[in-house]
Amino acid sequence: MVKICCIGAGYVGGPTMAVIALKCPSIEVVVVDIWEPRIAAWNSDQLPIYEPGLYDVVKECRGRNLFFSKDVEKHVAEADIVFVSVNTPTKTQGLGAGKAADLTYWESAARTIADVSKSDKIVVEKSTVPVKTAEAIEKILTHNSKGIKFQILSNPEFLAEGTAIEDLFQPDRVLIGGRETPEGQKAIQALKSVYAHWVPEDRILTTNLWSAELSKLAANAFLAQRISSVNAMSALCEATGADVAEVSYAVGKDSRIGPKFLNASVGFGGFCFPKDILNLVYICECNGLPEVAEYWKQVIKINDYQKSRFVNRVVSSMFNTVSQKKIAILGFAFKKDTGDTRETPAIDVCQGLLGDKALLSIYDPQVQKEHIQRDLIMKKFDWDHPLHLQPKSASSAVEQVTVTSDAYEATKEAHGVCILTEWDEFKTLDYKKIYDNMQKPAFVFDGRNVVNADKLREIGFIVYSIGKPLDAWLKDMPAIA
Ligand code: NAD
Ligand code: UDX
C-alpha cells in the first residue's frame, strides 16, 4: 500500500488530499500541519475552510484512508510520497520585499523531510513556487540525506476556490514535472499512476521540472491579465457610453479568445493572482528581463487602478466626501462561495473609504466579524499568512467599522451600498425595502455587476455599475483621477 503524506492542511492540501483519498481507496493519505486548531477542525464537523462539496468527500473517507494529524515527523517518515502544500506568501521584508515569494515555510518543510526520513521518497511541490525552487529543495534534501534518495517533482495545483472539488474531480489537466533521468521518469510515472485512478491519461501532462513550475505562474498571469484587460476596457466603456458586458460578450464570441474570465469587476483578489504575478515580475527582474517584468507589472497596476477608481467614484458621487456617512459593504470575500479574504479587493476599497472617514457597515455571508476587523488593520501582504503565522496587531478593531449578520441591517440608514463580492443572495435582496430604510439620495455602487441597475433606478436609487453607461448624476460628478 502506497502511503502519501501532505505537509500543509490549507485550501490546497486539505481538498486535494481528500479527493486523492476518495478516488484511491488503496492509498493511505495523511495530511499534517503545525497549526493544531486547523488539524482539530479537519477532524471535526466544522471544517476549517468553506468549499462546496468538501464535507461530503471528507466524511466519506476520513478514518478510512484519510487522516489529519499534527504529528508531522511521524507521517513524513512513514510516507512514500510527500506532497508539500505550505503557504508561499509575498516577502514583506529584506531582499525582494513586496514581490518575491517567501520560501521560509517551504524550506522548513524540506528540512523536516530531510531530518526525519529513513527511506527513499518522492517529494512533490504542490505549492506555487518560483522557477528553480526544486533545485534549491533538492540541495537541502541531498545535503542532509544520510544516503536516502529523494526525487523532486513539480505538480502545481490549478484548482480555484469555491469550485475546488469540481476542479479536482475533473481537472482540465494535471501537470507533473520531473528530472529527465531514469529515476526522475520513474517518479513521474509513480505520481501519474495516483492521478490515473480518475483522471483520463490524455489530461495528465508530463514535462521537465522548470516547465511545470513556470506553467503555474504563467497560467495565473494569463488569467489575471484577462481580468485586467476587461477592467481596463470597463473604464473606457464608462467614458464612452459602451457597456462592458456587451463588449465582453462580443469579444468572447471569437473562438480564439473564448468567453471565460471576462467579467469586469472591482478588481481581482485571492491568495494566488496578486502574489504569483508579483513573483513572476521579480523572477523576470532577477533574470535580467526588465521589459518583460514591466509588461506583467501592468496587470497589477490596472488592478490597483480599478480599486482606487471605484473608491473615487463612490466619494465623488456623494458630493466629494463620505466623512461620517454610513456606507454598507455587501461582500468581503475575494469571490463568492468562499470565506477566504486573502488579498480581497474589499480590503483596499474599505481602507480607501475609511481614509475618507466613512463609517462602514459590512456584511458577508461567510466571513466572520473578527476576521474582517483583523484584515482591515493588517499591513499589506501580512494577509497572505495563515492566522497563526500573522503578526499580532496592537489595536484590535477599527472604530468606524461594524460588522452585521445580514444585508438589511448593514444597509439600514446608510447613504450608499457597495457590492464587493458577487454572492448570489445579493441578486435577490428586497431592494425596495433597502431603499426605504436608507438616507436619500440613496446610492448603489455595484462592483460585481450583480444587480439589475434599471430596476434599482426605478425604485429611486442612483446606480453605478462597473463599465456600464453612467447615470446623469454620475456624469455630473466625474471621479477625480
Ligand atoms: P494555506 O495558508 O491555506 O495553507 C498552508 C498551510 O501550511 C498552513 O495551514 C500552515 O500552517 C502550513 N504550514 C506552513 N509551514 C509548515 C510546516 N513547516 N510544516 C507543516 N505545516 C506547515 O495555503 P493554501 O491556500 O493551501 O496554498 C498553499 C500553496 O498552494 C501556495 O503556494 C499557493 O500559492 C498554492 N495554491 C493555492 C491555491 C488556492 O486556491 N488557495 C490554488 C493553487 C495553488
Ligand atoms: C485562481 C486560478 O483560477 C486557479 O486556477 C489557481 O489555481 C489559483 O488562482 P482563485 O484565486 O481561487 O483561483 O479564483 P478565481 O476564480 O481565479 O478568481 C480570482 C479573482 O479574480 C477573484 O477575485 C474573482 O472575483 C476575480 N475575477 C475572476 C474577476 O474579477 N473576473 C473574472 O472574470 C474572473
Side-chain angles (χ1 to χ4, degrees):
M1 188 179 185
V2 175
K3 186 165 170 177
I4 288 179
C5 174
C6 175
I7 306 181
Y11 286 86
V12 169
T16 313
M17 293 303 125
V19 169
I20 291 183
L22 182 80
K23 300 289 186 181
C24 313
S26 61
I27 297 179
E28 184 184 302
V29 182
V30 186
V31 191
V32 296
D33 203 296
I34 43 174
W35 191 5
E36 292 188 17
R38 203 170 223 190
I39 289 297
W42 278 112
N43 283 318
S44 76
D45 284 340
Q46 282 293 315
L47 300 185
I49 60 175
Y50 172 69
E51 197 59 65
L54 175 63
Y55 183 67
D56 292 338
V57 176
V58 170
K59 211 167 61 176
E60 190 165 336
C61 34
R62 195 172 54 193
R64 180 188 78 185
N65 66 328
L66 175 67
F67 304 91
F68 295 93
S69 169
K70 57 186 167 56
D71 197 342
V72 180
E73 299 188 354
K74 173 178 184 289
H75 295 288
V76 169
E78 289 174 1
D80 304 293
I81 304 178
V82 181
F83 282 83
V84 183
S85 187
V86 299
N87 40 311
T88 49
T90 305
K91 269 183 97 170
T92 50
Q93 288 178 343
L95 193 65
K99 278 186 280 194
D102 180 349
L103 294 178
T104 316
Y105 306 111
W106 231 110
E107 185 173 336
S108 131
R111 287 186 187 280
T112 303
I113 299 171
D115 285 349
V116 304
S117 292
K118 294 187 184 67
S119 57
D120 296 352
K121 295 191 194 315
I122 296 173
V123 177
V124 185
E125 282 178 351
K126 197 59 163 159
S127 304
T128 305
V129 289
V131 203
K132 295 276 179 181
T133 298
E135 198 165 49
I137 300 307
E138 225 168 37
K139 283 186 181 140
I140 293 173
L141 293 173
T142 47
H143 279 81
N144 296 280
S145 76
K146 299 164 250 147
I148 292 159
K149 292 200 177 62
F150 296 102
Q151 274 305 319
I152 320 289
L153 298 179
S154 164
N155 172 221
E157 185 47 62
F158 294 98
L159 67 78
E161 288 179 33
T163 53
I165 297 300
E166 222 175 290
D167 296 342
L168 289 164
F169 278 2
Q170 287 183 314
D172 286 343
R173 76 310 212 177
V174 166
L175 181 57
I176 305 174
R179 285 277 183 203
E180 288 149 313
T181 57
E183 296 80 12
Q185 294 303 305
K186 204 172 146 199
I188 289 180
Q189 290 310 319
L191 185 57
K192 196 173 168 183
S193 69
V194 172
Y195 285 107
H197 280 82
W198 80 97
V199 181
E201 183 129 357
D202 60 354
R203 292 202 177 191
I204 307 179
L205 315 182
T206 58
T207 64
N208 77 27
L209 270 173
W210 323 130
S211 303
E213 287 180 339
L214 186 55
S215 299
K216 174 63 199 177
L217 293 179
N220 277 354
F222 278 41
L223 289 167
Q225 183 200 44
R226 278 175 80 94
I227 304 169
S228 279
S229 296
V230 78
N231 282 345
M233 281 300 157
S234 75
L236 191 55
C237 285
E238 287 167 32
T240 56
D243 179 330
V244 75
E246 293 175 354
V247 173
S248 294
Y249 185 73
V251 168
K253 274 288 176 191
D254 185 324
S255 59
R256 293 166 302 176
I257 297 173
K260 294 182 182 168
F261 259 67
L262 288 179
N263 292 323
S265 67
V266 61
F268 60 73
F271 186 39
C272 295
F273 287 171
K275 86 171 166 59
D276 291 347
I277 297 165
L278 288 169
N279 186 4
L280 184 64
V281 167
Y282 183 69
I283 294 169
C284 294
E285 286 170 352
C286 292
N287 280 284
L289 301 168
E291 290 81 3
V292 185
E294 204 50 47
Y295 174 74
W296 288 112
K297 227 185 252 175
Q298 282 303 320
V299 173
I300 293 285
K301 279 191 186 164
I302 287 289
N303 199 46
D304 289 340
Y305 166 71
Q306 191 74 347
K307 290 180 274 189
S308 56
R309 201 167 78 75
F310 186 86
V311 172
N312 290 350
R313 185 67 82 182
V314 176
V315 178
S316 60
S317 321
M318 299 171 85
F319 314 103
N320 260 336
T321 177
V322 287
S323 179
Q324 299 306 309
K325 290 179 186 162
K326 178 173 171 180
I327 310 278
I329 304 291
L330 300 188
F332 199 80
F334 82 98
K335 63 190 259 193
K336 75 170 180 177
D337 291 339
T338 176
D340 196 350
T341 63
R342 292 177 292 184
E343 297 283 339
T344 176
I347 295 178
D348 285 334
V349 170
C350 288
Q351 286 181 339
L353 294 171
L354 288 169
D356 220 289
K357 300 207 180 99
L359 305 173
L360 302 184
S361 182
I362 306 177
Y363 165 67
D364 186 288
Q366 281 298 328
V367 187
Q368 307 299 318
K369 182 177 173 179
E370 302 67 36
H371 203 116
I372 291 175
Q373 285 285 5
R374 190 207 61 211
D375 283 346
L376 290 176
I377 49 174
M378 202 156 287
K379 281 203 223 125
K380 199 164 170 66
F381 301 124
D382 284 345
W383 308 320
D384 272 0
H385 297 258
L387 275 180
H388 63 307
L389 300 170
Q390 281 165 5
K392 297 270 174 292
S393 182
S395 91
S396 58
V398 184
E399 265 177 29
Q400 300 137 272
V401 174
T402 51
V403 179
T404 69
S405 54
D406 80 74
Y408 297 104
E409 196 191 332
T411 51
K412 203 169 172 192
E413 285 168 19
H415 290 257
V417 177
C418 297
I419 301 174
L420 301 185
T421 313
E422 71 281 23
W423 287 102
D424 288 337
E425 67 176 70
F426 299 156
K427 292 181 189 159
T428 53
L429 290 171
D430 181 347
Y431 282 98
K432 173 76 174 80
K433 178 173 159 188
I434 289 177
Y435 179 80
D436 289 343
N437 288 325
M438 282 177 66
Q439 309 272 358
K440 308 295 175 322
F443 297 83
V444 168
F445 303 92
D446 185 357
R448 297 288 185 166
N449 287 343
V450 292
V451 297
N452 182 329
D454 289 339
K455 281 201 176 142
L456 262 58
R457 286 184 187 118
E458 275 168 27
I459 294 172
F461 282 107
I462 295 158
V463 186
Y464 165 71
S465 304
I466 293 265
K468 303 271 187 165
L470 299 176
D471 281 6
W473 180 289
L474 296 162
K475 276 190 198 151
D476 289 344
M477 303 261 186
I480 305 143

